[in-house]
Amino acid sequence: MGCFSDSIVEKTRRTVSKYRMISPSDRIAVAVSGGKDSMSLLRVLARLYLPRRNEIVAISVDEGVAGYRDEALRHSKSMVDELHVEQVVVSYKELFGFSLDEALDWKEERTTSSCSFCGVFRRRAIDEAAVRARATVVATAHNLDDYVQTFMMNLMHGDLARLGWLDPTYVDESFPVRRVKPFMEIYEEEVALYAYQNGVPFQSVSCPYMHEGLRSEVRDYLNVMEANHPGMKNVLLRSGLDVISRYARSSEKESVPCSSCGKPSSNGLCNVCRMKAEIREHVNIKRNPRTAGGG
Ligand code: SF4
């Protein structure tokens, strides 16, 4: 059984080395949500890089989902204590002025899925936490399944410009700290087995918003394809990497500073500020249903 865990550590090391994700002087922030993937990533990177004297900091985001994130944050705290690494926690409430529950309390009227909304704020929150942690690189626990799902979703949305984000060697200039995905060549099932074998504690409840939107349909579809055609996800990963390496860089758009916060944006207003304005408008309408919209 120990051989399997060692193979996951070795696979991670090979991926990191192949794409030059981490250098000896890096201070590594690991985005730890408290789920099995991120808790396993923290453990694997600690095993690989603490002995090499890289510093590791766990960064966690409290989105503000009642009954969901509290348990995850407890688990992540117990692991950072066990590994003797620092932890930086930021919350949506602190950074944006609302919790995710408050922001999503208008499902009927909006067309954007909960995860699309959340993802925009989450990226900004990780960005902020990484800066506070004085990290030079941020490792996220996206595994092979996540990677292939995102690739397929970008194709289905016709959002080819975003393919560049999936290039493992791509450096996003709009993000102050380099982002890497050391688990991108490891199946979700393998990470789950690693977590069980190593007694990694992780949250037992899922986010109540996770089954909305296209991703869960793509996930189910790919799982069926993999069951019927073993190895299909791995083939898709290789095809995706090939397409991205040929196409993505030429499709990158010039960015301009956001007129509201100054961060890079594609059209003068970044997604965070645009969505914040939509949420504020919704909250005002809820609080003052008679006056809102009346000028
Ligand atoms: Fe956010 Fe979706 Fe993750 Fe829930 S499942 S925390 S809504 S990205």
Side-chain angles (χ1 to χ4, degrees):
M1 290 290 267
C3 291
F4 173 77
S5 289
D6 290 347
S7 77
I8 294 297
V9 175
E10 176 55 19
K11 260 189 178 180
T12 308
R13 190 198 62 72
R14 280 207 304 264
T15 303
V16 169
S17 166
K18 186 178 2 171
Y19 298 111
R20 299 190 179 159
M21 291 177 172
I22 294 171
S23 72
S25 60
D26 272 329
R27 182 169 158 90
I28 308 163
V30 183
V32 178
S33 67
K36 65 181 180 340
D37 295 342
S38 62
M39 296 284 276
S40 298
L41 180 66
L42 179 59
R43 185 173 281 267
V44 169
L45 292 185
R47 182 166 155 194
L48 282 171
Y49 292 98
L50 287 180
R52 298 178 191 199
R53 304 202 175 277
N54 283 88
E55 291 172 354
I56 294 184
V57 190
I59 57 176
S60 302
V61 178
D62 182 357
E63 298 90 350
V65 179
Y68 166 60
R69 208 37 114 202
D70 305 351
E71 182 198 7
L73 289 170
R74 273 200 310 281
H75 288 317
S76 63
K77 175 79 173 71
S78 74
M79 182 162 299
V80 300
D81 287 348
E82 180 198 328
L83 298 172
H84 303 291
V85 299
E86 292 172 44
Q87 184 176 29
V88 172
V89 181
V90 294
S91 71
Y92 280 16
K93 191 89 179 174
E94 167 212 349
L95 295 176
F96 310 119
F98 45 76
S99 68
L100 188 62
D101 279 339
E102 288 166 340
L104 295 180
D105 176 39
W106 50 309
K107 197 170 167 183
E108 330 65 54
E109 304 142 59
R110 63 182 157 82
T111 50
T112 315
S113 79
S114 299
C115 289
S116 301
F117 249 99
C118 181
V120 167
F121 293 111
R122 207 176 151 67
R123 272 190 293 279
R124 180 66 61 86
I126 288 176
D127 190 340
E128 178 60 33
V131 170
R132 289 185 194 180
R134 292 174 287 106
T136 53
V137 63
V138 177
T140 57
H142 295 96
N143 55 45
L144 187 152
D145 292 60
D146 298 322
Y147 191 96
V148 172
Q149 287 160 21
T150 305
F151 176 68
M152 297 290 287
M153 286 169 66
N154 285 340
L155 294 183
M156 288 172 182
H157 284 307
D159 201 352
L160 301 184
R162 277 179 181 245
L163 288 177
W165 294 10
L166 292 172
D167 181 347
T169 62
Y170 171 62
V171 178
D172 183 350
E173 299 296 341
S174 66
F175 188 67
V177 184
R178 205 159 30 91
R179 295 182 232 208
V180 297
K181 302 178 180 71
F183 276 174
M184 59 172 276
E185 298 184 307
I186 302 179
Y187 284 95
E188 184 174 0
E189 279 180 353
E190 294 178 302
V191 180
L193 186 53
Y194 174 90
Y196 280 115
Q197 260 196 8
N198 288 274
V200 172
F202 56 87
Q203 67 191 124
S204 51
V205 288
S206 302
C207 174
Y209 304 113
M210 80 171 286
H211 294 294
E212 294 173 24
L214 185 61
R215 184 175 288 271
S216 56
E217 287 179 50
V218 172
R219 182 190 299 121
D220 292 346
Y221 169 75
L222 289 172
N223 285 341
V224 171
M225 292 297 285
E226 179 74 20
N228 294 339
H229 310 278
M232 178 67 80
K233 288 180 192 170
N234 196 37
V235 172
L236 272 171
L237 171 72
R238 301 294 146 207
S239 303
L241 287 169
D242 193 9
V243 170
I244 289 160
S245 70
R246 289 161 195 255
Y247 174 82
R249 283 162 198 266
S250 62
S251 69
E252 286 165 26
K253 283 192 207 157
E254 286 283 309
S255 70
V256 290
C258 169
S259 58
S260 179
C261 70
K263 304 260 185 205
S265 72
S266 55
N267 58 10
L269 190 66
C270 73
N271 282 339
V272 170
C273 290
R274 183 176 58 76
M275 288 185 175
K276 263 167 74 173
E278 282 180 34
I279 290 164
R280 258 191 236 117
E281 190 184 338
H282 158 73
V283 170
N284 282 341
I285 290 172
K286 273 215 112 168
R287 282 186 191 146
N288 309 300
R290 286 196 208 130
T291 54

